[in-house]
Amino acid sequence: MSFLTSKREITRFRVLVEVAENQPAVSQAEIAEAIGLTPQAVSEHISNLSEEGLVDKRGRGRYSITKEGADIVLSRAEELEEFVEHVTDEVVGRVFVDTAVAEGEVREGDEVSLRMHDGLLHAAPVDEAEPPKARAVTEAAEGEDVGVAEFDGIIGFEPGEVTVVRVPSVEEGGGRSVDPEALTEVVEEPVYGVGTEAVVALRSADTDHRRYGVAEAVVEASRNGVSSTVVAVEGRVGSLTDKLGAEGIEYEILDAEA
């Protein structure tokens, strides 16, 4: 029987984890506060765990977990991991509804194959879909949005990359010093401009671009497999690349040609 069916066993597991994480100097009051019990209840659990050889008392307020106790923690952590995997893959995957673009007419209940394209999930109706696949929970004509659930398999795609084109500050020539034709050759949509100098350069190159929420936009685009170009004034490149690095987004920095 799983320890998850017993409130007492769950509490004992949490006490063991608190001891293991904070040993050797951990008080019963600290454990009680961490897991929402009274100190008296924790004291009782500690005494029982000590008698069973799972916790070693080392004086007042000093406890450590034994090898046997560590084995219990490990086995129950593995059981928790299996339970979470079951919930994520088999439970949530069946009730969670995502939205895709229909590639052809889709009827409710149809099995569909899935793919990422242009940053959007697409669903194609097929008789015998291979993973990644799902089941349509709404109907849709080609090009319309369709609800899909009961996912099977992993939708594989490469995260988008970010190209950062650095424009000199106004003191160093600014946007007017950038060669419009050269800039056009290195930028690919979607394009973003950061700083007035960058916007001036993009306007000179007659390039459509967006100016606001740039860091958030390129991070979200990358996570959906879409690469972006950011034309940024030199003084604002660092904060942008710091954000990209923190989010694990790959990027390349180029200097705009004069």
Side-chain angles (χ1 to χ4, degrees):
M1 180 180 295
S2 169
F3 85 98
L4 293 171
T5 62
S6 169
K7 182 177 179 180
R8 178 175 180 273
E9 290 303 316
I10 292 173
T11 302
R12 282 161 53 89
F13 170 67
R14 295 189 64 188
V15 171
L16 282 172
V17 170
E18 287 297 320
V19 172
E21 184 176 6
N22 299 287
Q23 64 184 0
V26 54
S27 70
Q28 294 179 6
E30 290 171 334
I31 296 174
E33 182 178 0
I35 64 178
L37 292 178
T38 65
Q40 293 81 1
V42 171
S43 176
E44 181 180 345
H45 282 295
I46 289 287
S47 295
N48 292 335
L49 292 169
S50 177
E51 291 175 3
E52 296 173 26
L54 304 180
V55 168
D56 183 19
K57 289 186 176 181
R58 297 188 174 184
R60 186 175 181 83
R62 297 180 66 84
Y63 308 98
S64 63
I65 193 169
T66 65
K67 180 183 181 303
E68 292 76 12
D71 289 341
I72 291 291
V73 169
L74 180 61
S75 65
R76 291 181 175 175
E78 291 174 346
E79 186 176 338
L80 276 175
E81 185 177 6
E82 292 175 358
F83 180 72
V84 170
E85 184 176 349
H86 164 71
V87 171
T88 302
D89 294 345
E90 300 181 28
V91 179
V92 176
R94 290 187 176 275
V95 300
F96 174 70
V97 177
D98 204 347
T99 306
V101 178
E103 295 184 338
E105 183 178 355
V106 177
R107 296 168 299 178
E108 182 178 349
D110 280 354
E111 188 174 71
V112 294
S113 64
L114 302 174
R115 71 184 183 103
M116 288 293 293
H117 174 65
D118 196 27
L120 297 172
L121 183 65
H122 285 65
V126 290
D127 292 333
E128 295 183 3
E130 296 292 332
K133 61 183 180 179
R135 191 164 299 280
V137 296
T138 64
E139 61 181 27
E142 182 173 2
E144 292 182 342
D145 49 345
V146 58
V148 290
E150 298 183 30
F151 298 91
D152 179 12
I154 298 174
I155 304 169
F157 65 95
E158 292 294 327
E161 299 180 353
V162 179
T163 301
V164 180
V165 181
R166 184 163 47 197
V167 173
S169 66
V170 67
E171 295 90 347
E172 300 297 326
R176 64 186 182 278
S177 69
V178 176
D179 181 350
E181 292 185 3
L183 184 60
T184 302
E185 291 178 359
V186 297
V187 298
E188 295 183 9
E189 294 186 351
V191 182
Y192 300 86
V194 177
T196 302
E197 295 92 334
V199 171
V200 167
L202 286 165
R203 286 177 176 175
S204 297
D206 196 23
T207 299
D208 291 335
H209 57 279
R210 306 169 193 174
R211 295 168 49 191
Y212 303 109
V214 172
E216 294 76 11
V218 296
V219 167
E220 183 175 357
S222 176
R223 288 175 175 167
N224 286 279
V226 177
S227 296
S228 308
T229 303
V230 181
V231 180
V233 64
E234 185 172 8
R236 297 179 63 179
V237 169
S239 60
L240 173 65
T241 56
D242 285 347
K243 174 69 173 178
L244 297 177
E247 297 290 341
I249 307 300
E250 294 189 5
Y251 61 87
E252 176 187 17
I253 298 178
L254 304 176
D255 286 313
E257 293 185 24

